[in-house]
Amino acid sequence: MSEHVDVPADHPRYESLLTRHRIEAGVDKGITSRQGLIAQGRGEAFDYLLGERTTPSADEAERVATAHLLLADHAVLSVNGNVAALAPRETVELAEATGADIEVNLFNRTEERMQAIVDHLREHGAGEVKGLNADARIPGLSHERGKVDSDGIHDADVVLVPLEDGDRAEALADMGKIELVVDLNPGSRSARSATVPIVDNIVRALPNMTEHARELADADEATLRGIVENFDAEKALDDAEREIRSGSFE
């Protein structure tokens, strides 16, 4: 997918415009739904107030989430259409750095979209991509997003669910999974049901997590457990809300 946009790289809104282009190109390619455009716009509003930066609190959450992935018996990175459009290579690199599986999961699910996203991820370096089997369900979800692979999300103990809808996030939490959520809205059900809410833009969060994974690659279990046990999810959400409320429109 081309990232060329007719905007100079020194434009103050260049990164934001680039992500918009990625979502638009994702719709054209058939991997992102039109509803994804709306979701992207809502997230951009929060990111604008955050100053389009990773706050210290978000970086801490990203480090904690990475420690969870490294401690997991079976970690899975869940990918929807927006994630595939915005951060396909970043998803693959995080999976490689943590040993996690990748699984495609869609609310607006069709076999064509599923295959298109699997192919798109493979074009960006992924090996096995789960999600096409859909031979298990998340309890309590009647829509298409309840379909998962039995040897993927259904079996996982730790799941990264970026840009997730609230009911599925809550359902995964009800299954007892350690749930890592990337969501720019600290008031969303997704963020509030997460074991680790990461209030950051996915295009920054995933590379940061990969960097943390490489730094922690040789850490022993006690060190990793110390990282996760000292995390306060409510404080992370409060910190993010404070940053957003104090954000500037300049």
Side-chain angles (χ1 to χ4, degrees), residues 81-100:
N82 279 31
V83 174
L86 290 171
R89 191 174 306 281
E90 293 85 347
T91 298
V92 172
E93 290 175 350
L94 179 59
E96 291 175 346
T98 59

Side-chain angles (χ1 to χ4, degrees), residues 58-229:
D59 186 65
E60 179 193 3
E62 286 154 7
R63 187 167 185 262
V64 172
T66 303
H68 274 296
L69 291 173
L70 293 171
L71 284 166
D73 291 326
H74 182 196
V76 175
L77 313 183
S78 182
V79 175
N80 63 16
N82 279 31
V83 174
L86 290 171
R89 191 174 306 281
E90 293 85 347
T91 298
V92 172
E93 290 175 350
L94 179 59
E96 291 175 346
T98 59
D101 287 337
I102 297 173
E103 180 167 340
V104 179
N105 181 269
L106 302 178
F107 187 91
N108 296 296
R109 179 187 178 109
T110 66
E111 293 307 312
E112 292 78 14
R113 275 193 74 206
M114 290 290 295
Q115 189 63 58
I117 293 174
V118 169
D119 292 343
H120 183 64
L121 291 168
R122 287 174 177 160
E123 289 169 8
H124 286 83
E128 180 184 7
V129 180
K130 298 183 184 296
L132 295 177
N133 289 338
D135 55 347
R137 293 198 68 93
I138 300 171
L141 291 183
S142 59
H143 55 63
E144 292 292 280
R145 195 157 244 190
K147 294 180 178 179
V148 291
D149 281 12
S150 60
D151 63 347
I153 288 173
H154 195 272
D155 176 65
D157 57 332
V158 178
V159 186
L160 175 69
V161 282
L163 314 185
E164 191 57 79
D165 62 278
D167 60 343
R168 183 167 178 269
E170 290 176 339
L172 287 169
D174 289 343
M175 291 180 74
K177 299 186 184 300
I178 294 171
E179 190 176 24
L180 319 171
V181 170
V182 182
D183 193 322
L184 280 160
N185 178 5
S188 72
R189 286 183 297 157
S190 300
R192 295 199 170 275
S193 66
T195 309
V196 182
I198 301 168
V199 183
D200 199 3
N201 193 315
I202 189 174
V203 301
R204 298 190 299 268
L206 296 191
N208 287 349
M209 291 176 68
T210 298
E211 184 175 342
H212 284 306
R214 291 168 179 161
E215 292 172 354
L216 294 170
D218 297 324
D220 58 24
E221 182 176 342
T223 298
L224 295 174
R225 293 207 177 277
I227 292 170
V228 304
E229 288 169 3

